Amino acid sequence: MTSTLQDSARHVRNGIQAATAGLVGRDQLAELIVLAAVAGEHLLVIGPPGTAKSAVVRRVAQALGGRYFEYLLGRFTEPSELFGPVDLRKLREGTVETDVTGMLPEADVAFLDEVFLGSTAILNTLLGVLNERRFRRGHTQVDCPLRVAVGAANALPDDEGLAAFADRFLLHLFVEPVPDHQLEAMLAGGWRSDAAPAATPAGLVHLDTLCRTLHDVQLEAVRPVLAEAVRDLRRAGVHLSDRRIVKSQRLIAAAAVLAGRREAGPADLWPLLYVLPTKEAQHSARDVLKEQLAHATHPHLFSAVEAASMQPMSRVGRLVDGARRCLGSAEAGRTAEAEALLREIDANFHADALPAELAECRRSLAALLAVAA
Amino acid sequence: MNPGLPCRWRACADAPAPQAVVAWGDVAPRLGARVATLPEASQARLQATAGRDVLVLFGAEADLPWVDGVAYAAPRREAPALWLPTLWEPDVPLDLLERALAAAHRRTPLLLWPRPSVAVPLDRQRPWPQAPLAAWAERWRDR
């Protein structure tokens, strides 16, 4: 059973890798979509337009399999554009039924761009879909298979009503344009990914295996650490609603499950950072929780952990994974990749404090460059 | 540590992004040889300075070369004219140390290093393609 769990976690990880191939600096978003899907929660992405948000969601949905629905909302978007048109045949018979074929109520993964521009009617109906996985309109009542909805906007809303709607997204991710030093990699990756074939769907079966295991996860070892972290945040003036605190346990359990474990430990606390609703709160929390996040780690969700913790040890997993892929690759550009990895290792880790796994990777990468010289 | 600047070094908890690569002793000529193999466009993006025992190259993180034995350096926000190894920092307020070193050496910016314990002036950087490589190589040979 555990091997099945680990097998499923590995399949999902492969899906993330396939989905983000060529999309520089967007692994964190892909990883958080999967974390949210396993936890049965939703993700809100805040950032400027043109930061590849929809491309990542589309490709993760492709990699996971299942039905995908995407829509760019505007002030004049009609509910029927998201949920389906009124069934005229039924209307003639005197009932107001919605034909949801191919629309949001039938989707496994949904991406709603400019989500806060939706009308009151749309947002109220969306609440039912997001919270209860149930679509209600007129005489139509449908259970929705929705695993994860990703909402996107340029900024968090000031309006109180909309802020309450934003609060329904447990995970908040703030994305920035790709930094200057990654521009070349972004251009090359974007060129390659345009020509790359779509990821082969891993199938929702692996996601289902992980979701089913969620409630079996033992949280006893992490609960005191979580409570202490919340107390530390409160002392620093960073507050979370009780609902978000309780629900953060789902994300912690999902992190453990995605690592192929049925027990969560202090190393799985890192999703708490993404539960904090504002950029400022997340920024403060990195300092306040420095000690608790120092040992944050995950065998698959490297970028999400690294961005949450921003500490050297959280890089280990990504560097080891990158080194293994580089060493196993036959591509011509692998020496440049090896040099970049060695630079990052030597700039961030003391030689005598290198974790054994990373020290081994460093030796192999150095040998690769020595042969290439 | 330099005489008159009694401070200890401690491991840096948050290593900054490297902005320079530093090669001491025998590693300096090896780093120089590595840079010579880079494409011309990459070489043109690097600035360099050298001493009898050291070669320092400045550039964007992605442009900095690697050879076994190099270390990386960067200034800190609170002391922009004081370059330090990414992995180590002095256990004194950096802004005060920056001012004290500037007064003592009368040259800035400075690279401060724990082992060997020296301060290297960085005010004579040149673009790598215009660096006096032959003179530097001779200097390293005569160490």
Side-chain angles (χ1 to χ4, degrees):
Chain A
M1 185 70 190
T2 301
S3 68
T4 309
L5 175 63
Q6 285 171 348
D7 194 40
S8 292
R10 198 173 44 252
H11 269 94
V12 170
R13 169 65 199 168
N14 292 344
I16 297 171
Q17 277 179 355
T20 54
L23 292 170
V24 169
R26 293 292 170 249
D27 307 52
Q28 183 192 11
L29 171 54
E31 290 169 8
L32 290 178
I33 294 168
V34 171
L35 182 76
V38 172
E41 292 296 338
H42 307 294
L43 167 67
L44 180 64
V45 187
I46 305 291
T51 42
K53 297 188 288 276
S54 60
V56 175
V57 185
R58 202 175 307 126
R59 289 170 64 165
V60 170
Q62 249 168 5
L64 291 176
R67 288 161 295 187
Y68 176 61
F69 180 85
E70 177 183 322
Y71 210 81
L72 171 63
L73 279 79
R75 298 208 178 282
F76 304 107
T77 301
E78 294 280 344
S80 59
E81 294 170 57
L82 265 68
F83 308 116
V86 169
D87 188 329
L88 294 175
R89 206 165 35 83
K90 292 268 173 61
L91 193 60
R92 277 196 288 273
E93 292 164 11
T95 57
V96 181
E97 294 266 7
T98 304
D99 180 7
V100 297
T101 311
M103 304 305 275
L104 177 61
E106 286 196 335
D108 294 293
V109 179
F111 177 57
L112 301 170
D113 204 356
E114 297 294 359
V115 67
F116 299 121
L117 293 183
S119 65
T120 307
I122 285 175
L123 296 185
N124 283 341
T125 309
L126 266 181
L127 277 179
V129 175
L130 296 182
N131 287 348
E132 303 153 45
R133 306 299 201 277
R134 195 151 175 78
F135 169 68
R136 292 188 196 83
R137 200 162 159 228
H139 293 95
T140 306
Q141 295 224 12
V142 183
D143 283 333
C144 303
L146 187 68
R147 315 311 180 93
V148 58
V150 179
N154 296 340
L156 282 171
D158 295 326
D159 178 272
E160 219 167 287
L162 289 176
F165 178 72
D167 196 53
R168 300 296 154 171
F169 292 86
L170 185 61
L171 286 146
H172 285 199
L173 172 66
F174 298 87
V175 294
E176 303 287 348
V178 166
D180 285 0
H181 71 273
Q182 288 190 311
L183 285 173
E184 286 86 352
M186 182 185 75
L187 290 165
W191 186 255
R192 272 201 314 270
S193 70
D194 283 347
T200 310
L204 287 171
V205 60
H206 295 296
L207 190 63
D208 289 340
T209 300
L210 301 180
C211 292
R212 274 197 307 273
T213 313
L214 191 76
H215 285 287
D216 299 339
V217 175
Q218 301 292 313
L219 293 168
E220 284 70 16
V222 76
R223 238 177 232 129
V225 184
L226 173 60
E228 193 52 37
V230 172
R231 277 192 282 270
D232 286 347
L233 288 170
R234 284 178 178 174
R235 276 193 287 269
V238 179
H239 294 278
L240 269 171
S241 68
D242 290 355
R243 187 162 58 86
R244 289 180 90 78
I245 294 167
V246 171
K247 280 190 164 226
S248 68
Q249 294 180 110
R250 295 180 66 85
L251 299 173
I252 290 167
V257 162
L258 275 160
R261 289 183 275 106
R262 290 167 192 277
E263 188 172 343
D268 300 309
L269 183 73
W270 58 268
L272 178 65
L273 191 109
Y274 297 103
V275 176
L276 292 158
T278 65
K279 194 176 187 173
E280 295 72 23
Q282 291 187 5
H283 187 72
S284 303
R286 280 191 188 95
D287 274 346
V288 174
L289 303 179
K290 201 168 192 146
E291 217 171 291
Q292 287 99 324
L293 294 175
H295 303 293
T297 179
H298 199 282
H300 302 307
L301 309 179
F302 310 125
S303 301
V305 174
E306 195 177 327
S309 160
M310 289 211 171
Q311 291 182 60
M313 290 316 283
S314 64
R315 297 181 180 214
V316 172
R318 177 178 55 81
L319 287 167
V320 167
D321 183 65
R324 284 183 181 152
R325 274 192 284 156
C326 173
L327 292 162
S329 149
E331 277 187 33
R334 72 179 190 150
T335 52
E337 198 182 335
E339 187 167 14
L341 285 161
L342 285 162
R343 179 176 52 238
E344 190 172 352
I345 292 167
D346 285 1
N348 287 280
F349 293 90
H350 296 265
D352 52 1
L354 264 184
E357 221 176 0
L358 192 57
E360 182 52 43
C361 288
R362 188 191 177 283
R363 270 192 295 278
S364 304
L365 290 168
L368 173 75
L369 287 191
V371 169
Chain B
M1 190 66 233
N2 284 14
L5 288 171
C7 72
R8 291 205 183 101
W9 289 83
R10 64 184 171 208
C12 186
D14 282 326
Q19 295 179 42
V21 56
V22 184
W24 294 95
D26 296 340
V27 186
R30 281 199 288 115
L31 178 61
R34 166 72 187 121
V35 180
T37 67
L38 293 175
E40 274 181 28
S42 303
Q43 292 186 33
R45 289 197 296 267
L46 293 170
Q47 299 275 324
T49 191
R52 202 166 58 89
D53 262 332
V54 65
L55 171 62
V56 187
L57 295 170
F58 305 85
E61 183 178 0
D63 288 330
L64 298 175
W66 178 91
V67 294
D68 210 357
V70 295
Y72 292 90
R76 302 300 194 266
R77 206 178 1 201
E78 58 271 44
L82 184 60
W83 289 63
L84 301 165
T86 54
L87 296 175
W88 297 97
E89 60 189 9
D91 65 349
V92 294
L94 295 182
D95 53 340
L96 298 181
L97 182 61
E98 177 187 44
R99 265 184 274 168
L101 284 168
H105 289 265
R106 298 175 186 275
R107 288 172 74 179
T108 65
L110 285 167
L111 171 70
L112 195 61
W113 211 257
R115 279 190 302 271
S117 176
V118 290
V120 180
L122 302 178
D123 52 347
R124 291 186 189 156
Q125 297 172 33
R126 301 169 187 227
W128 174 262
Q130 288 146 44
L133 301 180
W136 287 355
E138 206 168 309
R139 215 186 285 174
W140 295 329
R141 260 198 312 273
D142 296 343
R143 259 194 355 258

